[in-house]
């Protein structure tokens, strides 16, 4: 028997309350805009596509964790500091202490996930808003990162990671590329340009798919599956919608929140590790403002700041918009500082749209 509340909902209304709607429209508009103003600049050539895809993947990795946590009704403002902290840990353990890179990476993940659990524990046990708890950790972790870096090296940038990571099995999982043979074949048949001089003559300008992109796609697929296809996903929505009501029906609210804080820290460490392997160095100021960029991606993707509503696919599209705009400004020759203007503008528009959608759902006026 069809629920009467659903039967009378029009198809247009069903479409309007989809969390991804704003992100889909935004993605189409952004691509159309830059196709017009930067279409001849190489932005949509293979190398240009790789550039904005990699940037979008960076945003997407942290946006997935932020999305699930925000749907569960919490925030984590320590994500950016966690990125810098994890990167410095890996560099110190591998370069300064001479430990195998795979050991450094695993220990960095263990420490970051433990810190995520500590964030969750403090939020649950003290009843303080996660905004306050994680804001405190934003400063604590940033300070620890700078202190550890200066204490061990007298510098805030630690290089040499690429050299010690050469041949390491786990480093390749975060910093390598896949499908290199396929891209070489594309170059051989003329689908991709090749270098015409120097030591790389004849090699494709795009060597393969970076592992950063693979991680982003994997996390997006996992997050969407977890949220929409599992009982745990229902719990996430229930906890963010009404935690007390969720407790009454047997949802382990505290466990869900704790695991979401841990998953957010895991995503931050994935970002940090991939970045360290890509650049071959770690810097104490890495990840600056990334927590806010992740939240904006999620809001663009349709999540409500009050929790209980959102979409991983929407957050991924928000990350794609960010990547395309950031690189599009570069290819079009515009001032890079305009990217911050875009962030603020798109945040306001997304919140207005999401508020309107919430009122449609709840029937508020």
């Amino acid at each position: 028997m069809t629920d009467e509340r659903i039967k009378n909902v029009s198809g247009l209304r069903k479409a309007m309350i989809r969390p991804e709607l704003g992100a889909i429209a935004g993605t189409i508009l952004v691509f159309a805009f830059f196709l017009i103003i930067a279409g001849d600049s190489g932005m949509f050539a293979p190398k240009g596509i790789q550039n904005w895809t990699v940037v979008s993947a960076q945003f997407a990795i942290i946006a997935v964790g932020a999305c699930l946590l925000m749907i569960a009704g919490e925030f984590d403002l320590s994500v950016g500091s966690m990125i810098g902290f994890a990167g410095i840990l890996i560099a110190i353990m591998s370069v300064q202490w001479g430990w195998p890179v795979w050991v450094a990476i695993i220990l960095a993940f263990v420490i970051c996930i433990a810190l995520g659990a500590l964030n969750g524990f403090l939020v649950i046990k003290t009843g303080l808003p996660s905004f306050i708890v994680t804001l405190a950790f934003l400063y604590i972790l940033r300070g620890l990162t700078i202190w550890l870096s200066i204490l061990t090296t007298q510098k805030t940038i630690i290089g040499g990671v690429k050299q010690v990571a050469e041949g390491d099995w786990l480093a390749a999982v975060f910093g390598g590329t896949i499908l290199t043979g396929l891209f070489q074949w594309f170059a051989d048949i003329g689908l991709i340009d090749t270098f015409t001089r120097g030591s790389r003559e004849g090699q494709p300008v795009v060597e393969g798919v970076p592992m950063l992109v693979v991680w982003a796609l994997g996390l997006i697929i996992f997050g969407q599956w977890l949220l929409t296809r599992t009982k745990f996903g229902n719990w996430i929505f229930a906890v963010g919608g009404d935690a007390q009501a969720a407790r009454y029906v047997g949802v382990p609210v505290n466990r869900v929140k704790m695991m979401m804080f841990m998953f957010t820290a895991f995503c931050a460490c994935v970002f940090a590790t991939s970045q360290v392997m890509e650049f071959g160095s770690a810097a104490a100021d890495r990840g600056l403002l990334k927590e806010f960029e992740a939240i904006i991606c999620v809001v663009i993707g349709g999540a409500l700041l009050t929790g209980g509503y959102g979409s991983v696919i929407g957050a991924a599209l928000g990350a794609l918009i960010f990547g395309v705009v950031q690189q599009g400004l570069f290819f079009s020759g515009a001032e890079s500082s305009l990217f911050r203007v875009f962030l603020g503008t798109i945040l306001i528009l997304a919140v207005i749209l999401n508020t309107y959608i919430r009122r449609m759902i709840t029937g508020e006026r």
Side-chain angles (χ1 to χ4, degrees), residues 285-334:
D285 63 349
R286 292 262 173 89
L288 192 64
L289 298 180
K290 289 298 179 186
E291 57 278 343
F292 298 108
E293 292 171 354
I295 290 172
I296 295 172
C297 285
V298 178
V299 173
I300 292 173
L304 297 179
L305 297 174
T306 51
Y309 184 79
S311 164
V312 172
I313 296 297
L317 289 173
L320 179 61
I321 291 172
F322 272 25
V324 172
V325 170
Q326 188 180 81
Q327 292 299 297
L329 292 174
F330 169 78
F331 278 102
S332 62

Side-chain angles (χ1 to χ4, degrees), residues 37-288:
I37 71 167
D40 298 329
S41 64
M43 180 177 176
F44 295 97
K47 188 62 177 177
I49 293 173
Q50 184 191 48
N51 288 342
W52 52 257
T53 300
V54 168
V55 174
S56 299
Q58 293 176 346
F59 287 122
I61 287 171
I62 52 176
V64 171
C67 178
L68 295 179
L69 183 61
M70 284 179 63
I71 294 173
E74 304 293 349
F75 292 92
D76 189 348
L77 298 183
S78 67
V79 168
S81 296
M82 189 83 73
I83 291 170
F85 180 71
I88 287 294
L89 283 180
I90 293 170
I92 289 174
M93 288 187 283
S94 61
V95 177
Q96 298 301 122
W97 297 351
W99 294 4
V101 173
W102 66 269
V103 173
I105 291 173
I106 291 174
L107 284 177
F109 270 94
V110 170
I111 293 169
C112 287
I113 291 172
L115 288 171
L118 180 59
N119 268 334
F121 175 81
L122 290 175
V123 169
I124 292 166
K125 292 301 180 182
T126 64
L128 292 171
S130 55
F131 176 89
I132 298 298
V133 173
T134 58
L135 180 63
F137 268 87
L138 180 154
Y139 286 101
I140 292 170
L141 289 177
R142 187 65 70 187
L144 277 176
T145 301
I146 296 171
W147 177 75
L148 284 172
S149 181
I150 293 176
L151 179 68
T152 55
T153 68
Q154 301 301 312
K155 298 180 292 186
T156 57
I157 300 177
I158 304 175
V161 178
K162 194 176 289 291
Q163 289 74 22
V164 298
E166 190 172 347
D168 188 273
W169 65 273
L170 191 54
V173 173
F174 291 92
T177 57
I178 63 170
L179 303 178
T180 53
L182 177 63
F183 278 75
Q184 182 63 58
W185 178 70
F186 286 158
D188 293 339
I189 64 175
L191 291 179
I192 297 178
D193 293 335
T194 60
F195 292 99
T196 57
R197 62 183 66 180
S199 60
R200 301 182 65 186
E201 184 177 354
Q203 295 182 17
V205 294
V206 179
E207 296 181 351
V209 179
M211 286 305 301
L212 184 75
V213 176
V214 176
W215 272 102
L217 291 173
L219 287 170
I220 291 167
I221 293 169
F222 170 76
Q224 182 68 9
W225 169 80
L226 180 71
L227 195 62
T228 61
R229 302 295 180 185
T230 68
K231 180 171 69 174
F232 192 87
N234 290 333
W235 288 353
I236 295 172
F237 280 115
V239 169
D242 189 331
Q244 194 58 48
R247 285 191 178 92
Y248 289 150
V249 296
V251 174
V253 172
N254 292 347
R255 191 172 81 191
V256 170
K257 290 191 176 186
M258 180 80 76
M259 293 187 71
M260 288 302 94
F261 275 107
M262 294 168 69
F263 182 67
T264 302
F266 172 84
C267 292
C269 199
V270 169
F271 182 104
T273 308
S274 299
Q275 198 174 58
V276 168
M277 295 305 138
E278 178 186 0
F279 294 119
S281 65
D285 63 349
R286 292 262 173 89
L288 192 64

Side-chain angles (χ1 to χ4, degrees), residues 13 15-19 21 240-241 299 302-310 349-365:
R13 183 180 173 86
M16 286 293 291
I17 64 176
R18 292 292 303 173
L21 177 66
V299 173
L304 297 179
L305 297 174
T306 51
Y309 184 79
L349 293 176
V351 170
I352 292 172
L353 177 62
N354 292 348
T355 300
Y356 173 71
I357 291 173
R358 177 179 60 81
R359 287 174 178 172
M360 286 183 61
I361 296 170
T362 61
E364 295 178 13
R365 294 188 180 183

